[in-house]
Amino acid sequence: MYTPPRLSSSSSSIDVAILALHGAGVDPDPATSSWTSAVPPQRAWIAWPFGLTEWGYDWHGPSLRDAKLAVQHLSKVQDLWGLAVGQKVASRKAKSEERKVIVIGHSNGGQGAWYYMSRFPDDVVGGIPASGYVKIQDYVPYTFSRGQHYRDPFLTGLLFAGLSSFDNDLHASNLAGKAILSRHGGDDDNVPVQHSRELVSAVEAWSYGKPTITYSEAVGAGHWFDDVFDSPGPLAFLDELITNSTLPPPERKSALKFTYTGVNPDELGSMYGFRLVSVGLSGRLMRLTVIIYPSEEPGAFDAEVETTNVDAFSFDAAKLSSQYNLNVTTLRYRGQKLDFSLSSETTFTFSSDARLFTPSPSPRRTRRYGPLISILTSPEPLLIVVGTFGSASTTRHFREIALKIARDAYVYGRVDCVIVEDREVMGREGAFAGEGSVVLLGGADDNGVTFVWSATWPLDVQFIAPTVVRIGSSLFGQPGQGILFLAPNPENVKSLALVLSGTDAEGRESAARLFPVRTGVPLPDWVFPIKSCRGIQIQSSGFTATGLDYDRNWMIVEEKTHKFLTARTVPRMILIGTAISIPDGTLTITVPESSEYPETSFTVPLAPPSDDTAWHPDFKIWSSPALDGWVVGSEECQKLLSAYMGKPVLLIQKGREPREAGPTGYVQGLPGVSLQYTEHPSVSFADEYPILVVGRDSLNHLDHLVMTDKAVQDAQPRFDREKWKDGGIEIQRFRGNVVVKGCEPWVEESWQAVRFIPVEEGAEQEDWEIVSRCGRCQLPNVDPATAIRDPVVPDMFMQETRKTSPTMPTKLCFGVNAVPGRRNASVSLLTRLSRTPRPGNRVYNPSVAVFVAEILKLSVSFTMLVREKAAKDANKKGGRVNHFASAKRALWDLAMNQRAEVIKLSVPAALYATQNTLLYIALSNLDAATYQATYQLKLLTTALFSVAFFRTSLSLVKWLSLLALTVGVATVQLDGIRSPSKSADSGLSDPKVGLAAILAACVSSGLAGAWFEYVLKSPSPPLPTSSTPGTPVTPSPSSPMINSPASTSSSRASSRSRPQLRENSPSLWARNLQLSVPSLCFSLSGVFLSPEWSQVARFGLLDGFTPLVWAVVVNQALGGLLVAMVVREADSVAKGFATSIALVLSTLASMIFLGLVPGVLFIIGAAMVSASTIMYAMDKS
C-alpha cells in the first residue's frame, strides 16, 4: 500500500520516500489494518510493505526483499497516480531504484528499521525506529532456558555465529552519520526500554565524537502509544529529513572517518560508496575502516583503508561524489596506492601471497551464503526438486515432504513454490531454476540433480551410500539421522541450494522439521478440556473419532439435576483455566477467586476412574439422550467449583458409552456435501460434532465489518465505538479447534474435507469430512479475558451476512463442523492399536497383559481338563459326573505326578513369557507393516532350532522353500498397499527398540517352539495311569520300555525322521496346564520387574485395560492354545507356513471386500508364498 504526498508548495522536488515497517502480528490487510493510519500524509510518498504476512520474517530475508521491492515499484505507482499539483520530479533518478528512503517502524518493525538502515547505509537518509529490539536473543533471552545448562560452549559459539548476521548491535557502526530519532515507551512491558537505550549508546560510540542520533523516551508510555509517530517531535523530524533530501550535499572540508561492519556480504549494501564483497573467515566480523581527508589538490580527497577479515571490497567513486560531494582521487591500503575507476565501481581482492589488495578485472559478484532461512530469499518461486532415484517408498516420502514445505512456505510467508522431479529438469538446457533458490530432496544416491551438482561444490561433503554421508571427517549413517545443509547453485552465483536427506525415514522427517518456514508463533490450534471453560493453545495434537485429544472431555453440571452448565448462561465459566500435563497424566484446573476462596488450582487424572462408584448414566446436554460419565475430583474441588459457580455443581468426565454426533443436515446450505454415515461418528461433550474448523481470514473480514459498517454502528446505541475502533475480535471467542489461514474469507464453507498429514512414517493421512456450517449462539459475544458479554459485537454485525441457514433463521454461522472420514476397513492389528495412547486412558503395562493372558490360559486349560476327566469317570461309573472330584484329582496329578514334566516345560514357558512381552514392546515401537514383515523371520529360527533339536536334515528344496516363503511374505507386507492398519500406526516411540525387540522375539519363538515340540514328541518315562492318591502306578502296555537290539537298530534307522507324538502323551489340556503353571510364575515376575511397576503399584494391576485391551488379551490366550493344538498334530515349521499363508489370504480378503489396491510387490510376494508352499508339500525327501 502507498500513501501519496500531501499538497505542498514548500518544495517542488521530493527525492525521498518513507518506508513504514509494521510490527509482528499486525494485520497486513490495508482495508482492515490501523497501522496505515499511524503516520499522517507527509510531503513524500509512504510505502507500507506487509512483509508477506502479518508475522513475516522479522524484516529479514523474504520480508526485507518485500520492503525493497515496495520502494523500487513506487515509480510505477507514481506514474499511475499522477503527480500532485505543483509537484515535479527533478530527474528520472527520483523514480528509479536508487530512490533514498526514510525508514520508520514500530516493535518488530522498529527492529526492522534498525536492520534496514544498518545494512544499506547509502540507501537511507535516516529514520525513526520505535520500540524495537536489538536482536532476537535479547528479546527472547536464552539465559534461563533449561538447555543452556547443558549446551557445549563451542556449539553455542557456532549457534550465535549463525545468528550474528541478524544482530543489529554488531552493525551499529554503519549507522554513524545518519539522522536517527529513536523512540521508546518508558513502561514498555513487551520490548524492554533498555533495547533502545543500549543501541543508541552503541551508535554514539561509533560516531567518533560527532553523533547524529537522538533518543526520545515517552515517560509512562507502554509498548504502543498513540503519538509514537503522530506528534510534533517525530513529524518535525520527518519534515526536516524530507527537506534536506531535496538540497544538494554540502561541501565538505574536514576529514571523515567511519567503520563499515558486516557478517554476510550478501545482505549488505554500500556505505560511502564502499561495499564489503567477500569475507575472509565465515562467521567472523568483517570491518572496513576508512579515513577520507582533503588532499593537496583543491576539491579532491584522499582515502586510507584498513580491513579486518575482508577478502574483497569494492569502491564506487561516482556514488561517493554524487551523494556526499566527496571527490576521492587517491585510495591507499597500508601505504599501497590502489588504482580505481572514477566513473564505475571497482572491486579489490586480497592476495594472500603479497598481503595486498589488487583490482579485479571485472566487478566480483558476491556468492550467497548464510543461515538456512536464506533459502527463502528467492527472486523467483522456490523450486523443490524431488529425488526419484531411490526406492519407491523413499520417493513417496520425499513427495510428502515437498508438499509440506510448499504448504508451510506459502501459509507462513507467502513464498511461491514449484515442485518438480529430478528427471523432469535434468534434461533441460540452461539454468532450469533461473535465479530462484532450489531445494534438493535427497542425497546423491536419491536425487539426480544432487548427484550432478555435488561434484561442483566447494564443500567437503561426500555421499558414500544412500544411508551414509561424510561431512568433513565425520560419518553420518546411524538410524534416525537427518541431513540438511546449504550449498551453492552452480548455475547461478546469486542462488542457493538446500539439500535435505536422511539415513532413513525418521532421519528425513527430522531434517524436514528443521526446514525454516516462519518466525514468531505458529497458527493456533485449540483444545478446550472442560466444556465452556478456557482453552489451551497447542502446536500439535493426536485425535480419535471423538475429536482432538482431551477436547471437551470434561463438563460442569448441576449437582441435583445433572444438567450441563454453559458460558451462554454463566459467562464467568470462561475464566476457569485448564492445563494438561501428559507426563504426569493430569489436568490442572484453576478456579478464579470467589467470595469463599482465593484463586486456587487443583488436579484430576486424565484417565477415568478405575471403579464405577462415581459413574452415572444420566447427564444431559441440550435435548440429547442421557449421557454417562464419572464424577471426578475431590470433595474439596467440588466445593471450590460450587462456590465460584454460585450453586452446587459437579465436575464430570465423559464415560465409556459412545455419543452420536449430530446429523449432516443440522445446518443447511453447505454445497457439495452428500456424506452418508456408514458408522455414526461419536463426540464427547461438544454440542454436536467432534471438530470445529474456523477461518482466520473470515474473522479478519468480520473485524473489518465491526470497524466500518456504519449502518449497524448507528443502529446500535450500545455499540462501544472507542473499544472497537481498531477491531480486535479474538479468535478464541469462536472456540474452534483448527484455525485455517491464508484463504479467502468464508471459503472454508465450500470445502468438503480437511486433510491432516501425519509426520510419522507409515501413518496415513486423515481426511475429516466437513458436514455443516456451525450455527452460533451469543457465546462469541463473551470476552474471553473478562467474561463480560458485549451487547453488540460480533452477532449484530453478522445478522445480514451470516444468516445462511433457512431452517435455523436465528443461527448466525461462523466456522464449519467436521467428522472423521468414512473408514473402509477394520484395524487388522488389535495389539498395535491397543498400545496407541488414547485420551482418558493410560497405556496398559504389557507385562500385566501377558500375566492376565496366562491366567486365562491356565483357567481354560484346567476347566477343559476337569471336563475331560469327568467325562472319562462318567463312562466308567455309569453316567455319574462329579466335577469337584475330577478337579481334585487333576490338581493332585499336577502337584505329585507331573512335576518332572512341569520342570521340563519351564524353559519354553520362560521363553514364551519373554517372547510375548517382547512382541508388545515391538508393537509399541514399530508400524504394523514393519512388525508383520520382520516377525516372519521366526520361520527361519524355528527351522534352525528344529534341525538342532531333532538332528534332522532338510533337503535343499525345503531350505529354498523356507527362504522363498520368508522373502515372499516380507515383500507382500512391505508393498505400498493402503492398509487400514496403518491408520493406527502413529506415535512410534523408538523404531530401533522395536526392531531389537522383534528380532529377539523371533529367536525366542523359534527356540520355544522347537523345545516344546521336543518335549511333546521325545521319548520319556510313562505318566501314571491313575490319579488317585496312594494308588500304585502301572506302566501302560504301549509305553516305551528298555530297547531291545532290534528296536535300537530301528531307532537308528529312523534318526533322520522327525519323532512323532508319544502314544502315552498327556492330553492337550494337561500339557497346557503343565505349561501354564511356570508361565504364570515367570509372567508374574515380569510384572514386578517391569519399568512400569510404579504405575501398577499406584493405579492397580488392570490400569489402562479397555475393552480393546481385553480383546487383545483374550485373543493372545486362546491363540496360544490353538498354537499348541497345531504343534501337537503337525510341526513348528508347518505352523509357520499356516500363519504366513493366512496372513497373505487376509490381505487378499481385504482386496475383495474392502477395496484395497495391491501393487506389483504384492503380486510378486504372493506368488513366492504360494510357490514355496507347494515346494515344501511336494518334497517327500
Side-chain angles (χ1 to χ4, degrees):
M1 177 179 173
Y2 297 93
T3 299
R6 57 182 167 83
L7 298 180
S8 173
S9 59
S10 61
S11 175
S12 60
S13 175
I14 303 299
D15 198 17
V16 69
I18 298 174
L19 180 66
L21 308 180
H22 66 74
V26 174
D27 185 0
D29 187 352
T32 60
S33 175
S34 60
W35 165 243
T36 52
S37 60
V39 181
Q42 300 295 303
R43 291 188 296 116
W45 282 84
I46 305 177
W48 307 87
F50 286 102
L52 303 177
T53 68
E54 65 185 56
W55 289 99
Y57 293 94
D58 296 345
W59 297 108
H60 309 150
S63 296
L64 173 67
R65 184 170 181 273
D66 183 56
K68 293 183 75 67
L69 288 174
V71 177
Q72 293 176 13
H73 292 166
L74 179 56
S75 59
K76 299 177 183 178
V77 176
Q78 189 172 341
D79 288 338
L80 292 173
W81 179 267
L83 299 179
V85 177
Q87 188 174 12
K88 300 179 181 179
V89 177
S91 65
R92 187 64 183 172
K93 172 190 169 186
K95 297 174 65 177
S96 72
E97 296 183 2
E98 299 299 323
R99 182 195 302 267
K100 284 202 169 189
V101 295
I102 301 168
V103 189
I104 66 172
H106 176 262
S107 191
N108 196 19
Q111 178 275 148
W114 288 117
Y115 182 87
Y116 193 106
M117 291 187 294
S118 61
R119 273 55 167 197
F120 305 96
D122 281 346
D123 296 347
V124 300
V125 177
I128 308 178
S131 305
Y133 56 87
V134 175
K135 53 189 173 186
I136 193 65
Q137 304 96 296
D138 291 347
Y139 179 52
V140 185
Y142 306 149
T143 308
F144 296 108
S145 65
R146 182 63 56 86
Q148 68 98 13
H149 303 303
Y150 311 100
R151 64 193 183 197
D152 181 272
F154 178 76
L155 296 180
T156 302
L158 292 180
L159 169 65
F160 283 104
L163 296 172
S164 59
S165 62
F166 305 130
D167 294 351
N168 292 318
D169 51 347
L170 295 182
H171 297 77
S173 68
N174 307 343
L175 296 170
K178 296 299 175 184
I180 299 174
L181 172 62
S182 175
R183 303 210 71 195
H184 215 118
D187 291 342
D188 192 333
D189 59 356
N190 187 325
V191 179
V193 68
Q194 201 66 22
H195 282 263
S196 291
R197 294 175 183 172
E198 289 295 319
L199 198 48
V200 169
S201 297
V203 175
E204 289 176 342
W206 282 105
S207 299
Y208 298 102
K210 300 177 181 179
T212 56
I213 188 170
T214 304
Y215 177 60
S216 170
E217 186 170 308
V219 179
H223 186 57
W224 171 263
F225 41 104
D226 291 337
D227 60 350
V228 60
F229 299 115
D230 191 5
S231 58
L235 293 178
F237 180 81
L238 287 175
D239 193 70
E240 183 179 0
L241 289 182
I242 295 170
T243 300
N244 291 339
S245 70
T246 64
L247 302 177
E251 182 180 356
R252 190 177 186 94
K253 297 182 179 180
S254 60
L256 169 67
K257 182 178 182 180
F258 64 90
T259 299
Y260 191 23
T261 305
V263 176
N264 186 350
D266 185 57
E267 299 176 355
L268 298 172
S270 62
M271 183 174 184
Y272 291 104
F274 288 86
R275 187 190 304 271
L276 295 169
V277 175
S278 181
V279 63
L281 181 62
S282 299
R284 299 286 303 273
L285 287 176
M286 301 178 291
R287 283 213 168 99
L288 187 73
T289 301
V290 181
I291 301 177
I292 302 176
Y293 52 91
S295 68
E296 297 179 356
E297 182 181 347
F301 288 82
D302 295 345
E304 291 280 351
V305 177
E306 289 289 339
T307 64
T308 302
N309 196 39
V310 175
D311 183 55
F313 71 91
S314 68
F315 175 55
D316 189 340
K319 175 181 285 189
L320 182 62
S321 175
S322 62
Q323 291 191 11
Y324 301 99
N325 199 13
L326 290 171
N327 299 312
V328 173
T329 57
T330 304
L331 182 64
R332 292 185 176 87
Y333 170 75
R334 295 185 178 180
Q336 173 198 7
K337 186 176 180 181
L338 304 179
D339 296 328
F340 61 93
S341 171
L342 293 175
S343 58
S344 61
E345 185 176 2
T346 304
T347 300
F348 302 93
T349 303
F350 188 74
S351 170
S352 57
D353 295 335
R355 310 296 296 175
L356 295 173
F357 281 97
T358 56
S360 299
S362 59
R364 178 174 173 176
R365 300 188 69 185
T366 306
R367 179 173 289 281
R368 291 186 58 197
Y369 77 96
L372 288 178
I373 200 171
S374 303
I375 195 70
L376 297 179
T377 307
S378 181
E380 295 183 13
L382 186 67
L383 188 67
I384 305 175
V385 182
V386 176
T388 62
F389 284 81
S391 65
S393 61
T394 300
T395 300
R396 184 166 56 249
H397 194 197
F398 279 138
R399 290 194 185 104
E400 295 171 358
I401 292 174
L403 288 172
K404 179 181 182 298
I405 290 174
R407 179 259 182 197
D408 288 347
Y410 179 77
V411 169
Y412 296 111
R414 289 298 185 270
V415 177
D416 294 323
C417 298
V418 176
I419 301 175
V420 298
E421 293 186 350
D422 50 1
R423 300 175 191 270
E424 295 180 47
V425 297
M426 291 180 66
R428 297 181 186 176
E429 296 182 359
F432 62 82
E435 294 186 358
S437 299
V438 182
V439 177
L440 301 175
L441 299 183
D445 294 281
D446 297 322
N447 193 308
V449 177
T450 308
F451 176 80
V452 175
W453 283 11
S454 60
T456 68
W457 290 337
L459 306 172
D460 193 7
V461 177
Q462 181 181 3
F463 295 90
I464 299 175
T467 59
V468 181
V469 178
R470 181 186 62 79
I471 301 178
S473 59
S474 301
L475 283 178
F476 297 91
Q478 297 298 317
Q481 289 185 332
I483 300 162
L484 192 71
F485 62 88
L486 288 179
N489 180 348
E491 296 185 350
N492 192 315
V493 72
K494 299 297 289 183
S495 174
L496 280 174
L498 184 145
V499 180
L500 188 154
S501 186
T503 57
D504 52 20
E506 181 184 356
R508 293 191 292 270
E509 284 295 345
S510 298
R513 292 189 191 103
L514 292 176
F515 187 90
V517 293
R518 60 182 181 267
T519 61
V521 298
L523 293 179
D525 293 281
W526 299 82
V527 294
F528 301 86
I530 305 177
K531 186 177 179 67
S532 279
C533 295
R534 182 165 289 169
I536 303 171
Q537 188 172 342
I538 58 176
Q539 295 188 16
S540 63
S541 173
F543 56 85
T544 64
T546 60
L548 299 186
D549 288 354
Y550 310 109
D551 184 58
R552 295 167 174 93
N553 209 34
W554 290 264
M555 183 171 65
I556 298 175
V557 300
E558 293 181 349
E559 183 178 20
K560 292 183 178 180
T561 65
H562 283 190
K563 290 183 178 179
F564 84 112
L565 293 172
T566 168
R568 298 166 177 82
T569 56
V570 189
R572 64 188 314 188
M573 285 182 67
I574 213 164
L575 301 180
I576 298 176
T578 56
I580 288 176
S581 173
I582 299 297
D584 296 335
T586 58
L587 169 69
T588 300
I589 302 168
T590 302
V591 183
E593 180 182 1
S594 65
S595 59
E596 300 180 33
Y597 297 93
E599 180 178 289
T600 308
S601 297
F602 63 90
T603 62
V604 296
L606 293 176
S610 57
D611 61 79
D612 288 343
T613 57
W615 181 82
H616 296 273
D618 59 345
F619 298 110
K620 300 174 184 177
I621 296 181
W622 300 119
S623 59
S624 65
L627 309 174
D628 73 323
W630 286 277
V631 177
V632 295
S634 65
E635 184 177 346
E636 184 66 22
C637 300
Q638 309 294 357
K639 289 181 179 179
L640 279 170
L641 285 172
S642 299
Y644 181 74
M645 298 291 291
K647 63 176 70 177
V649 299
L650 300 172
L651 176 66
I652 66 168
Q653 184 173 2
K654 181 67 182 74
R656 63 177 70 91
E657 297 299 323
R659 173 186 171 221
E660 288 188 354
T664 58
Y666 180 65
V667 178
Q668 298 295 324
L670 193 64
V673 173
S674 59
L675 176 68
Q676 298 295 321
Y677 290 147
T678 53
E679 293 184 7
H680 215 90
S682 300
V683 65
S684 292
F685 285 146
D687 279 352
E688 291 288 342
Y689 301 96
I691 284 185
L692 174 61
V693 181
V694 296
R696 176 72 209 196
D697 300 278
S698 302
L699 180 66
N700 291 341
H701 183 265
L702 181 59
D703 229 9
H704 178 59
L705 290 177
V706 172
M707 291 187 293
T708 61
D709 195 332
K710 301 298 184 183
V712 176
Q713 293 177 5
D714 295 340
Q716 299 296 328
R718 292 183 297 173
F719 176 68
D720 190 338
R721 296 177 182 271
E722 182 63 26
K723 176 181 177 180
W724 296 107
K725 66 177 183 179
D726 298 325
I729 302 176
E730 302 90 344
I731 194 70
Q732 300 97 300
R733 288 175 179 256
F734 295 95
R735 303 181 72 79
N737 299 115
V738 178
V739 182
V740 294
K741 188 177 179 183
C743 314
E744 293 297 321
W746 317 112
V747 71
E748 61 270 13
E749 295 181 353
S750 65
W751 295 346
Q752 296 186 27
V754 176
R755 174 164 295 172
F756 296 87
I757 301 178
V759 297
E760 291 84 0
E761 173 70 9
E764 285 190 340
Q765 61 191 18
E766 297 280 350
D767 287 351
W768 282 59
E769 306 281 356
I770 293 178
V771 295
S772 75
R773 292 185 174 96
C774 182
R776 314 309 298 236
C777 60
Q778 282 201 337
L779 182 57
N781 284 45
V782 178
D783 189 332
T786 64
I788 298 174
R789 186 193 305 276
D790 192 288
V792 178
V793 178
D795 65 328
M796 291 299 176
F797 290 88
M798 299 168 64
Q799 293 288 339
E800 295 299 323
T801 59
R802 305 310 306 151
K803 284 184 178 179
T804 53
S805 173
T807 61
M808 304 182 69
T810 61
K811 290 290 185 181
L812 306 174
C813 296
F814 190 100
V816 290
N817 296 306
V819 300
R822 288 170 289 183
R823 295 291 182 174
N824 293 325
S826 60
V827 178
S828 63
L829 285 179
L830 291 178
T831 311
R832 178 66 186 94
L833 184 59
S834 72
R835 290 295 292 164
T836 301
R838 291 290 183 263
N841 293 295
R842 283 180 294 274
V843 180
Y844 64 94
N845 185 338
S847 299
V848 174
V850 174
F851 175 64
V852 175
E854 293 300 333
I855 293 178
L856 292 177
K857 280 196 287 187
L858 187 146
S859 302
V860 172
S861 300
F862 182 70
T863 301
M864 298 303 295
L865 180 61
V866 170
R867 286 173 55 88
E868 186 179 81
K869 285 184 176 292
K872 290 181 180 180
D873 290 345
N875 292 333
K876 292 179 181 180
K877 299 178 181 180
R880 295 176 57 190
V881 177
N882 188 338
H883 287 95
F884 179 78
S886 298
K888 183 179 178 182
R889 285 194 299 273
L891 290 174
W892 180 264
D893 269 350
L894 181 67
M896 303 304 296
N897 301 325
Q898 299 178 24
R899 284 177 292 183
E901 297 292 316
V902 171
I903 293 174
K904 285 183 180 180
L905 291 175
S906 296
V907 175
L911 291 171
Y912 278 133
T914 303
Q915 169 197 331
N916 290 333
T917 303
L918 288 170
L919 291 180
Y920 278 99
I921 295 173
L923 284 162
S924 300
N925 292 276
L926 293 176
D927 61 86
T930 304
Y931 165 81
Q932 290 176 319
T934 310
Y935 193 38
Q936 302 313 309
L937 292 176
K938 66 183 179 180
L939 302 180
L940 287 179
T941 61
T942 302
L944 293 173
F945 283 116
S946 296
V947 170
F949 271 78
F950 299 112
R951 300 185 181 278
T952 59
S953 62
L954 298 180
S955 66
L956 178 62
V957 174
K958 280 186 165 56
W959 280 116
L960 290 176
S961 65
L962 281 172
L963 180 61
L965 174 67
T966 305
V967 175
V969 172
T971 303
V972 167
Q973 292 307 309
L974 293 179
D975 180 44
I977 303 176
R978 297 186 59 198
S979 171
S981 65
K982 290 184 180 180
S983 63
D985 295 339
S986 60
L988 307 184
S989 300
D990 191 341
K992 292 182 286 187
V993 173
L995 182 60
I998 201 168
L999 292 177
C1002 289
V1003 175
S1004 177
S1005 175
L1007 179 56
W1011 191 300
F1012 189 33
E1013 184 182 351
Y1014 181 77
V1015 172
L1016 290 178
K1017 299 177 180 179
S1018 63
S1020 67
L1023 291 174
T1025 58
S1026 174
S1027 299
T1028 306
T1031 304
V1033 177
T1034 304
S1036 171
S1038 60
S1039 299
M1041 306 298 289
I1042 299 175
N1043 288 333
S1044 64
S1047 64
T1048 303
S1049 61
S1050 174
S1051 175
R1052 289 173 181 171
S1054 60
S1055 62
R1056 288 181 173 270
S1057 301
R1058 185 184 296 272
Q1060 302 300 311
L1061 191 66
R1062 297 201 311 259
E1063 293 183 6
N1064 69 326
S1065 178
S1067 69
L1068 171 69
W1069 307 115
R1071 277 299 189 196
N1072 275 290
L1073 190 61
Q1074 294 170 1
L1075 184 64
S1076 294
V1077 171
S1079 294
L1080 194 64
C1081 298
F1082 287 120
S1083 59
L1084 180 60
S1085 302
V1087 173
F1088 286 106
L1089 297 175
S1090 69
E1092 296 90 351
W1093 166 246
S1094 58
Q1095 175 183 330
V1096 175
R1098 180 181 178 185
F1099 298 107
L1101 191 68
L1102 300 181
D1103 178 60
F1105 271 59
T1106 63
L1108 177 60
V1109 177
W1110 279 110
V1112 171
V1113 171
V1114 172
N1115 178 71
Q1116 186 83 0
L1118 299 183
L1121 296 175
L1122 181 61
V1123 168
M1125 295 179 66
V1126 173
V1127 174
R1128 178 183 174 92
E1129 302 301 331
D1131 60 56
S1132 302
V1133 179
K1135 178 200 72 173
F1137 273 103
T1139 303
S1140 302
I1141 296 172
L1143 187 150
V1144 176
L1145 291 178
S1146 66
T1147 310
L1148 285 171
S1150 298
M1151 291 170 48
I1152 297 172
F1153 298 107
L1154 303 174
L1156 301 185
V1157 181
V1160 177
L1161 288 178
F1162 173 84
I1163 298 174
I1164 296 173
M1168 292 179 67
V1169 171
S1170 302
S1172 64
T1173 306
I1174 297 172
M1175 289 169 59
Y1176 190 86
M1178 294 183 63
D1179 180 43
K1180 304 299 183 181
S1181 59

